[in-house]
Amino acid sequence: MSSSYKLVDRSRCPNGTRIRIGDSEIGGDEFVVAAGPCAVESPDQMMQASTGVAFAGARILRGGAFKPRTSPYAFQGMGEEGLQLLAEAGRFAGLPTITEALSTEDVQLVARYSDVLQVGARNMQNFALLKAVGAIDKPVLLKRGLSATVDELLMAAEYIVLQGNSRVILCERGIRTFETATRNTIDLNAVALLKQITHLPVVVDPSHGTGRRDLIAPISRAAAAVGADGLLIEVHPTPDVALCDGAQSITPSAFAEIMRDLAASLPVAGRHLAIGRSGEDGLALKSHRDRIDSIDEALLRLLCERARVAARIGSIKRRNGEPIRSTERERIVLDRAIRQSGGTLPPEAISRLFQAIISETRLVQAPTDAREVNHAG
Ligand code: PEP
Ligand code: MN
């Protein structure tokens, strides 16, 4: 691989670039999800889509007004009227927006309406367009070309940054391979590699990457696991009648389920699903409670798994004739937990919680001894 990209090389910013969009920040601890229909179709469709994805926790609203279609006879998008509907829906739902600029002539117009500009896969090497979005003062989401190498993607990003716009987000949206079972093949290698070699944030688009709505959930999970900074997902209130990409679009309720799953799985890897500051109404409360339910389920699974491993340790100790309780080990576990706290829970709370976990573990490791102790007590 050539190292001729200079500005986007990770050595330029070893901790990674963070880009603020609305009230979230992409590229740091937050995992940011953009969602909405492939194409803006009508006011009603945009209202339903935007409120649905906002309720589920999306932090950016997507919707194409200028559509790059393979067939010239396919729906080409609503143009400026589509931009207006997207902006209105975004304002209504309290979300910043992202939409594609197809050509250099669109850039100023799109930038007037949208918070983030998308350069589509088919335009990844449209150098005039790259220079044009490099000259504006808005974040750019750059999609990897259909058959572009990682090096070519980074060189395309370099074009944008060289013009003075350093707010570039890369997007893996699947590449062409010999495989025809899915629309494209999501290159998760590239996501993991990009996180090492460039400081730019990287998101995954499982919708175009798979072309199948039944694969959006597992591939979203995989993207988060491999270190992506976020997702771009096509969500439509009625996917079966969508004017564009219906087969890969999911309903707002299917989207909400993916978001609940991410809310619980991301913290294990040290990330968290971005939470908006706005929307303190009843709907938001329900959405947050759904997240809590999902986190509680994950917490229970982890606690049970911890107990299962602890039980194995107990049986090894018994076989070796060692005492079950090691106060020194308990101290190490407790101290580490307290040291690693620093989030919302104060150290005293972590200490109380871990003392409970440690003593319950002791019961699992020595069930009979514990019962005797209880009798004695
Ligand atoms: C899109 O996001 O709707 C789109 C056209 O994507 P891509 O450029 O990745 O095909
Ligand atoms: Mn699409």
Side-chain angles (χ1 to χ4, degrees):
M1 182 180 295
S2 87
S3 56
S4 29
Y5 44 88
K6 299 181 172 73
L7 302 173
V8 304
D9 192 276
R10 187 142 188 114
S11 60
R12 279 271 172 163
C13 181
N15 294 324
T17 288
R18 296 167 180 227
I19 300 173
R20 179 149 289 282
I21 300 169
D23 58 17
S24 357
E25 192 180 58
I26 195 160
D29 295 343
E30 285 188 329
F31 188 85
V32 179
V33 180
C38 176
V40 176
E41 298 169 7
S42 70
D44 192 43
Q45 173 237 22
M46 283 315 291
M47 282 302 149
Q48 287 188 50
S50 62
T51 49
V53 302
F55 171 63
R59 300 307 310 143
I60 305 171
L61 176 66
R62 67 152 285 156
F66 297 97
K67 295 305 303 174
R69 302 305 298 276
T70 303
S71 162
Y73 305 112
F75 175 58
Q76 303 286 309
M78 293 178 75
E80 185 166 1
E81 194 188 345
L83 294 175
Q84 279 163 359
L85 294 180
L86 175 68
E88 274 165 31
R91 266 195 304 277
F92 184 75
L95 296 180
T97 58
I98 178 169
T99 195
E100 178 164 356
L102 259 189
S103 68
T104 50
E105 298 89 76
D106 299 339
V107 169
Q108 290 305 328
L109 178 70
V110 172
R112 268 207 300 283
Y113 285 101
S114 187
D115 300 286
V116 183
L117 270 71
Q118 176 172 320
V119 173
R122 290 154 196 82
N123 265 325
M124 190 203 83
Q125 285 187 318
N126 178 340
F127 300 111
L129 181 62
L130 297 176
K131 286 181 187 170
V133 297
I136 61 157
D137 189 25
K138 297 239 162 145
V140 173
L141 182 124
L142 174 64
K143 289 191 144 195
R144 181 181 182 182
L146 277 64
S147 300
T149 64
V150 164
D151 201 42
E152 287 162 344
L153 171 62
L154 288 172
M155 284 306 217
E158 189 85 12
Y159 263 92
I160 303 172
V161 179
L162 189 59
Q163 295 300 312
N165 187 352
S166 56
R167 291 187 286 167
V168 178
I169 301 154
L170 304 173
C171 179
E172 164 59 37
R173 47 77 73 205
I175 52 173
R176 282 243 165 114
T177 68
F178 58 84
E179 184 56 79
T180 54
T182 48
R183 182 175 176 183
N184 290 296
T185 296
I186 285 270
D187 184 4
L188 291 178
N189 290 0
V191 179
L193 180 63
L194 284 166
K195 288 302 295 175
Q196 290 182 25
I197 62 179
T198 176
H199 55 83
L200 299 176
V202 181
V203 303
V204 168
D205 171 353
S207 308
H208 295 89
T210 64
R212 294 176 57 120
R213 69 175 74 127
D214 55 349
L215 295 181
I216 308 304
I219 300 305
S220 295
R221 220 175 289 138
V226 87
D229 296 297
L231 296 168
L232 181 68
I233 300 183
E234 288 186 341
V235 177
H236 194 289
T238 47
D240 289 333
V241 297
L243 294 181
C244 187
D245 285 349
Q248 68 194 34
S249 299
I250 56 174
T251 59
S253 73
F255 175 67
E257 203 171 313
I258 292 173
M259 295 297 274
R260 283 196 291 275
D261 187 71
L262 287 169
S265 60
L266 282 162
V268 177
R271 315 285 297 270
H272 60 264
L273 193 54
I275 294 184
R277 277 189 256 114
S278 54
E280 265 133 349
D281 55 17
L283 283 181
L285 191 63
K286 159 123 182 40
S287 167
H288 289 313
R289 283 188 173 145
D290 287 346
R291 247 181 227 197
I292 289 272
D293 290 346
S294 169
I295 291 167
D296 284 350
E297 273 172 41
L299 207 50
L300 281 168
R301 280 195 296 272
L302 280 176
L303 284 171
C304 289
E305 185 58 14
R306 191 185 193 282
R308 202 170 71 92
V309 175
R312 291 293 302 154
I313 294 175
S315 59
I316 292 169
K317 282 180 172 173
R318 257 196 304 281
R319 229 184 4 259
N320 294 349
E322 285 176 39
I324 290 292
R325 185 166 190 189
S326 160
T327 46
E328 193 198 330
R329 170 72 186 158
E330 287 180 2
R331 178 96 332 254
I332 291 171
V333 170
L334 193 59
D335 285 351
R336 190 188 44 217
I338 293 169
R339 240 190 352 267
Q340 287 178 352
S341 67
T344 313
L345 285 172
E348 312 81 66
I350 296 287
S351 171
R352 285 191 296 272
L353 287 167
F354 261 78
Q355 272 166 18
I357 290 172
I358 288 167
S359 64
E360 292 305 323
T361 302
R362 226 183 288 133
L363 294 182
V364 169
Q365 287 185 326
T368 41
D369 301 3
R371 239 172 276 134
E372 280 156 20
V373 170
N374 275 347
H375 276 300

